[in-house]
Amino acid sequence: MSVQLKKPAASAIPVRVVDRAGLAARLDAAPAATRRWLEATGFSAAPDSHVLVPAADGAIAEVWAGVRAADHPWALAALPRALPEGRYRLSPDGLELPAEVAAMSWELGAYRFDLYKPAARAPATLQLPKSAAAQRGLLLAAAIASVRDLVNTPAEHMGPAELAEAVKLVAEQHGAEFRQTVGEALLKAGFPAIHAVGRAATRAPRLIELHWGDPKHPQLTLVGKGVCFDTGGLDIKSPDGMRQMKKDMGGAANALGLAQLVMALGLPVRLTLLIPAVENAIAGNAYRPGDVIRTRSGLHVEIGNTDAEGRVILCDALACAAEAQPDLLIDLATLTGAARVALGAQLPALFCRDTATARELVDLGLALHDPLWHMPLWRDYHGGIESEIADIVNTGRGPQAGAINAALFLEDFVPPALPWLHVDLYAWNDTARPGRPAGGEAQTLRTLLAWLERRYR
């Protein structure tokens, strides 16, 4: 860990946090030598900038660091990899940062996926007084880092079995029940759609389950799309389209990260996590365009395109989740390119039957800098996913409204009275920002957690 929760040592280098609005006043109060140094270096307190202020002997006397705001979640994220190795502490002469923000932003600023290529140097260490808020910040950082690690791991080392092991490890850490239904057993257990999508792979498909909490508490069920690699199936993707498909289990990774936080923070819920985990492969027994599959709910699905496999495995998991009549059902999935065309990489699409709930989540996401954006479940488009020979088809009749079509498909497997959120996310950073390196990413995790804490406090 790059954050140590302990009384900061007097020898730790102080970091003075400032913003542009307060810089002039901070400069006026600073020693003349410090003021001249900052003016000479052109320090303007721009967000994510810093200056090393030397002591008379040439050592680092202190660091001045610019932030957008004291409570910005990525306030310190630019520092751990930019500062020289060593121990640092927050200066009382700067802005006072919430302990949760300081801990999370510093810890995630130090994050690197180093399974195959160790980092060239260790990050700088921040010493923070121990507190519940700082511990919460580290819990958030650990969950986000675990999501990133899962998504970043290549499919060779993160297939359905390895994803199941990751869930099992989290279950063991929190005293939860773990089980999985694998391969042909899926057919006997009533998960034919999951089996159909994953049957062509040499690595067996499965439904992964985690159960935790007091049976007396409200039931919260999380479902995550776990396509560990997506070739597109017989409707094969282009090389460019397939390149990053190790991340197609990003919904499962995010669902597991959220479950991890729910358990670590002891939310008063009875938690179920369901992850249909498959590899969408190409072989002689692969499911085909034009096939009709009977799903767990009894609905028959015509396969319009084998590259729309995520909604096919999710429909069995959602039907299973609905059987327990949970108080709330949330699914997370890297489901459609159409959502990215509409909203880009940084804005996951939220589909929700209740407009007030959707608006609350959007507002909360904006406040927490963990955004998502409300998209409509436009029922007039449902005719576009109705089949002539089955109940429903897994693709629309054209390229328009692709994310809505996918959400409407899933909605057919969720009873109308059941509170349900569907999040179509990217789980990836195409470019690096402080605390958010290029690669796998946790999205909506902090927003959903904060909203769940409101709901179940």
Side-chain angles (χ1 to χ4, degrees):
M1 273 194 172
S2 63
V3 175
Q4 298 175 345
L5 298 186
K6 60 186 293 186
K7 182 180 179 180
S11 59
I13 299 168
V15 177
R16 190 184 306 217
V17 178
V18 295
D19 59 15
R20 281 173 164 156
L23 178 61
R26 303 283 180 186
L27 286 173
D28 288 343
T34 298
R35 185 165 59 250
R36 287 195 298 271
W37 180 264
L38 293 171
E39 289 171 350
T41 58
F43 180 71
S44 65
D48 306 320
S49 69
H50 74 276
V51 167
L52 306 179
V53 179
D57 62 359
I60 302 173
E62 65 176 339
V63 178
W64 283 55
V67 298
R68 288 172 180 80
D71 61 352
H72 193 278
W74 306 106
L76 303 180
L79 296 177
R81 294 285 172 183
L83 293 178
E85 291 183 44
R87 297 177 301 171
Y88 296 80
R89 58 184 170 86
L90 297 180
S91 170
D93 296 324
L95 292 172
E96 184 178 353
L97 270 62
E100 179 181 320
V101 165
M104 189 192 82
S105 62
W106 191 284
E107 190 67 28
L108 289 176
Y111 173 84
R112 287 292 182 274
F113 179 65
D114 57 4
L115 180 61
Y116 307 103
K117 183 179 180 181
R121 47 151 286 189
T125 299
L126 178 67
Q127 295 183 337
L128 279 177
K130 188 174 182 179
S131 67
Q135 289 175 320
R136 178 186 171 92
L138 292 184
L139 280 175
L140 289 168
I144 291 169
S146 68
V147 172
R148 293 174 178 178
D149 285 347
L150 289 172
V151 178
N152 282 326
T153 302
E156 177 70 12
H157 301 137
M158 186 51 64
E162 289 79 11
L163 183 55
E165 283 300 311
V167 176
K168 184 179 180 181
L169 178 61
V170 171
E172 290 172 348
Q173 290 171 342
H174 296 283
E177 178 189 353
F178 167 85
R179 59 177 180 261
Q180 58 179 322
T181 306
V182 182
E184 297 301 307
L186 289 166
L187 295 174
K188 295 179 181 178
F191 299 102
I194 298 173
H195 180 270
V197 174
R199 70 192 185 201
T202 56
R203 300 187 289 187
R206 63 203 64 212
L207 179 71
I208 304 165
E209 301 179 53
L210 178 152
H211 301 273
W212 172 89
D214 188 335
K216 297 177 183 177
H217 288 157
Q219 173 77 49
L220 167 65
T221 300
L222 308 177
V223 176
K225 174 188 169 185
V227 177
C228 294
F229 193 79
D230 183 16
T231 65
L234 294 178
D235 287 309
I236 190 169
K237 291 179 181 289
S238 67
D240 286 345
M242 204 186 299
R243 176 63 180 86
Q244 299 295 357
M245 281 301 101
K246 68 177 184 179
K247 77 173 192 66
D248 211 18
M249 39 64 70
N254 275 271
L256 178 58
L258 183 55
Q260 182 177 332
L261 288 168
V262 166
M263 293 185 289
L265 294 170
L267 265 64
V269 296
R270 180 162 44 100
L271 175 68
T272 292
L273 171 68
L274 300 177
I275 296 176
V278 303
E279 182 172 354
N280 189 20
I282 300 170
N285 64 336
Y287 81 129
R288 296 163 287 265
D291 282 356
V292 174
I293 299 168
R294 180 180 172 85
T295 66
R296 182 179 184 87
S297 73
L299 291 178
H300 286 84
V301 172
E302 181 184 5
I303 303 303
N305 190 305
T306 61
D307 195 21
E309 82 299 327
R311 68 201 73 178
V312 179
I313 63 170
L314 285 172
C315 74
D316 268 0
L318 290 172
C320 177
E323 290 165 7
Q325 298 180 318
D327 179 71
L328 176 66
L329 172 59
I330 303 174
D331 79 76
L332 300 103
T334 54
L335 203 61
T336 67
R340 308 288 68 79
V341 171
L343 299 175
Q346 296 179 23
L347 280 177
L350 167 68
F351 292 86
C352 177
R353 290 163 169 160
D354 180 66
T355 301
T357 296
R359 288 177 177 169
E360 182 184 1
L361 279 160
V362 169
D363 289 344
L364 185 57
L366 292 173
L368 295 175
H369 300 274
D370 186 26
L372 66 175
W373 207 255
H374 185 204
M375 297 278 277
L377 286 162
W378 194 254
R379 293 300 301 178
D380 285 358
Y381 290 166
H382 192 274
I385 58 169
E386 292 170 5
S387 167
E388 297 295 330
I389 63 170
D391 295 297
I392 192 172
V393 62
N394 75 330
T395 52
R397 290 199 171 93
Q400 296 181 344
I404 297 174
N405 284 337
L408 290 173
F409 179 96
L410 296 181
E411 188 180 26
D412 277 10
F413 298 88
V414 180
L418 177 57
W420 167 61
L421 306 178
H422 162 55
V423 181
D424 188 339
L425 46 76
Y426 193 46
W428 193 262
N429 293 319
D430 287 321
T431 57
R433 293 171 289 163
R436 292 150 290 179
E441 187 56 284
Q443 293 184 304
T444 75
L445 209 61
R446 292 184 295 112
T447 296
L448 289 172
L449 175 66
W451 183 74
L452 289 173
E453 288 178 312
R454 283 184 185 178
R455 185 181 177 99
Y456 296 112
R457 61 178 169 225

